[in-house]
């Protein structure tokens, strides 16, 4: 009987802060994406490609979440893009308040796109709303096609799954169709793109997907 | 420092149970919908129409969540459909474990569609995953077009918004376009249908939407 109010209050607290974030993003017309994956799936490499490709025509910034170090923010900043590092310390995920605390560092009026790279973890990040428009997840084909069944919450929450490192498909036992079928069983509307951040295969489709979402924030469908 | 593990565990607990539910639904090919709204928006009337319309051709059951009474389950059962009542007592929402505890009462093999009517509340239900495929919310036009801004979490979480009681539009100050625009700002992919469960206006589109979702569970998009 004691736990229910505690849970409700803490959940409500994160949700309430997330909503304050979302309201700010909406007011400023900034499309915000929460990028999630297990460790080493290639999020930062993908982001480096993405800021290079979209940077010239879109005003963007990146928030990097890591347990420690500022290595990822440093990698992004090298491409001339504003990158803020959050170190989560003992927490295996970002939460809405951590994002909130950094928003003063960003000029939201001057942004079209904010990408938040979450801590590399296939479990906790999916459960904490940050106020983003979309959760996007990256699954490396080197991780195995059983991941949707084993980490279903994230696959259920995502709007788009990027199957990364497809250049390695000849060398691993990854059943693409099985992975995609399992992910779509969990998430009837999941978009899926097959990409390689390394070879750039499929990245044009990813950029096009992003541009469609940015455009939709500017003028929502009627 | 003490609260983070508590929150994480409790969130993870609901998410884990929700996922067990979802896995069962997927295995049995049952499309499951979590129907949410404020009190008196017309959920049960909509469900009565829906079970009458879909009952002959689809195998369906309903779980009714209410703080107390079995009035809603009784209304649904009068239409010859299996209806289970859950009384949540001090809780303003259903949670995954409450659903889990009732699944033994249902022959999932013999179902195409399970509709879970949540407790009438615009806040808490949206935060608790039950293992459903989709959250669907009902907003009565008598409630006012400011509701997306005031209760954004639910509008963000829903797959479909049913604007109900449109037969009363001539008698209330409800700005349809403003409500729809605000809801879609919160949720880029929100489907919206204008209906009146009373006059049956728009209900054919709702039934068609449901049938498409049921079909998609049977054969997910490739």
């Amino acid at each position: 009987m004691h736990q229910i109010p505690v849970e409700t209050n803490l959940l409500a607290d994160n949700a309430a802060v997330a909503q304050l974030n979302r309201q700010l993003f909406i007011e400023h017309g900034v499309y915000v994406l929460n990028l999630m994956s297990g460790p080493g799936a290639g999020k930062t490499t993908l982001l480096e490609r993405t800021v290079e490709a979209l940077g010239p025509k879109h005003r963007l910034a990146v928030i990097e979440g890591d347990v420690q170090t500022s290595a990822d923010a440093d990698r992004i900043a090298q491409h001339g893009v504003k990158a803020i590092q959050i170190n989560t310390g003992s927490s295996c995920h970002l939460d809405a308040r951590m994002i909130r605390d950094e928003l003063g560092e960003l000029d939201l009026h001057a942004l079209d796109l904010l990408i938040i790279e979450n801590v590399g973890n296939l479990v906790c990040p999916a459960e904490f709303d940050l106020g983003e428009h979309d959760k996007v997840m990256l699954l490396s084909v080197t991780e195995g096609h059983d991941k949707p069944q084993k980490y279903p919450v994230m696959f259920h929450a995502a709007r788009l799954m990027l199957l990364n490192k497809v250049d390695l498909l000849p060398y691993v036992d990854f059943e693409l169709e099985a992975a995609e079928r399992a992910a779509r069983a969990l998430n009837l509307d999941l978009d899926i793109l097959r990409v390689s951040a390394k070879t750039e295969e499929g990245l044009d489709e990813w950029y096009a997907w992003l541009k469609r979402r940015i455009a939709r924030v500017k003028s929502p469908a009627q």
Side-chain angles (χ1 to χ4, degrees), chain A:
Chain A
M1 288 299 293
H2 285 32
Q3 291 188 335
I4 289 169
V6 173
E7 175 175 26
T8 304
N9 289 341
L10 288 168
L11 270 169
D13 180 61
N14 188 72
V17 178
Q19 185 47 41
L20 292 175
N21 294 349
R22 182 173 291 115
Q23 198 56 45
L24 269 182
F25 301 147
I26 291 172
E27 285 167 16
H28 291 83
V30 188
Y31 172 63
V32 182
L33 181 156
N34 180 356
L35 185 64
M36 308 182 294
S37 78
K43 292 191 296 305
T44 312
T45 300
L46 179 81
L47 283 192
E48 290 186 272
R49 299 290 193 190
T50 303
V51 302
E52 284 288 334
L54 270 68
K57 290 204 171 174
H58 297 82
R59 301 168 303 168
L60 52 86
V62 172
I63 294 179
E64 288 285 343
D66 281 291
V67 171
Q68 45 190 348
T69 85
S70 65
D72 285 358
D74 296 343
R75 282 173 65 184
I76 299 299
Q78 283 176 354
H79 299 272
V81 165
K82 172 89 172 177
I84 295 172
Q85 182 75 50
I86 297 177
N87 286 142
T88 60
S90 61
S91 180
C92 59
H93 59 86
L94 292 168
D95 66 34
R97 198 169 294 278
M98 296 176 194
I99 301 302
R100 185 89 186 157
D101 289 344
E102 301 299 333
L103 292 183
E105 300 294 315
L106 293 171
D107 181 3
L108 292 177
H109 280 293
L111 287 183
D112 302 309
L113 168 64
L114 171 62
I115 300 180
I116 303 170
E117 182 182 335
N118 220 311
V119 178
N121 184 307
L122 275 176
V123 183
C124 342
E127 295 171 14
F128 286 83
D129 184 7
L130 306 179
E132 71 277 354
H133 289 91
D134 290 321
K135 293 174 163 62
V136 169
M137 69 160 302
L138 207 57
L139 175 66
S140 163
V141 301
T142 59
E143 295 176 80
H145 52 256
D146 59 340
K147 292 302 165 293
Q149 283 98 336
K150 294 185 77 170
Y151 300 93
V153 177
M154 183 164 291
F155 291 82
H156 178 67
R159 184 65 188 79
L160 166 69
M161 172 169 73
L162 293 165
L163 282 170
N164 193 27
K165 306 192 188 181
V166 293
D167 55 300
L168 298 179
L169 278 172
Y171 315 108
V172 294
D173 294 320
F174 186 91
E175 297 175 19
L176 271 178
E177 288 74 17
E180 295 181 355
R181 200 164 44 240
R184 285 220 172 97
L186 290 161
N187 184 333
L188 300 180
D189 301 299
L190 185 67
D191 287 336
I192 300 175
L193 295 175
R194 303 173 182 183
V195 302
S196 167
K198 183 178 170 190
T199 69
E200 304 193 45
E201 179 180 346
L203 291 189
D204 284 344
E205 289 180 66
W206 155 241
Y207 304 146
W209 189 95
L210 267 180
K211 290 174 191 171
R212 285 195 301 273
R213 302 304 273 180
I214 293 168
R216 193 175 280 200
V217 167
K218 305 286 185 197
S219 77
Q222 292 306 314

